[in-house]
Amino acid sequence: MKRLLIVWHSQFGGTAQMAAAARDGARATGEVDVRYLRAQEAGVDDLLGCDGLLVATSENFGSLAGMTKDFFERVYYPCEHAVEGKPYTVIVCAGTDGAGAMFQTDRIATGLRLRKALPGLIHKSGITARPQVVPADVLDACREVGATLAAGIATGVF
């Protein structure tokens, strides 16, 4: 069975809700094994062992969250020539923008030669550095992203 790796980081809970929804959507397909790890727990073997990657991150100070960047720093050189062509997408929970975190993730993924399978999703909550409840429609969109990526990996579309 093919494997989808979901790597996520959340400081105030919004990204955690979005990542969990994506995980649930992916698992609901029943078509892939879903490995769901906090960014600080994920490593080289996880990235090498997956068939696709979903990154869920917050945007901090207009850029990629530090723990998500730490994940990429730990796996980048060991995986640099071994993950080419693997599909990925990104979910960002941001207070006001999100473009910086998306850009940074895409830039790193380009260096790894990953292939962006879905355009990604940015939720602009209007809330910065505080706990929040992510709206149901955003969680539905995250479930759809997870399910679509999982189905595409399982069928070889991505």
Side-chain angles (χ1 to χ4, degrees), residues 95-145:
T96 58
D97 185 29
M102 184 69 70
F103 173 78
Q104 290 290 321
T105 305
D106 287 343
R107 185 173 180 189
I108 294 165
T110 298
L112 287 169
R113 292 175 179 76
L114 297 172
R115 182 172 37 92
K116 195 160 190 183
L118 299 169
L121 185 148
I122 297 174
H123 168 55
K124 299 174 190 177
S125 68
I127 299 170
T128 303
R130 293 191 325 260
Q132 62 183 285
V133 175
V134 177
D137 63 320
V138 174
L139 297 177
D140 288 343
C142 292
R143 275 188 281 280
E144 185 176 326
V145 168

Side-chain angles (χ1 to χ4, degrees), residues 67-119:
M67 290 307 294
T68 309
K69 186 173 180 288
D70 173 74
F71 161 73
F72 281 121
E73 288 177 351
R74 287 183 288 105
V75 302
Y76 190 90
Y77 290 110
C79 296
E80 185 177 17
H81 299 290
V83 296
E84 183 174 343
K86 286 187 182 188
Y88 83 98
T89 196
V90 185
I91 291 174
V92 176
C93 185
T96 58
D97 185 29
M102 184 69 70
F103 173 78
Q104 290 290 321
T105 305
D106 287 343
R107 185 173 180 189
I108 294 165
T110 298
L112 287 169
R113 292 175 179 76
L114 297 172
R115 182 172 37 92
K116 195 160 190 183
L118 299 169

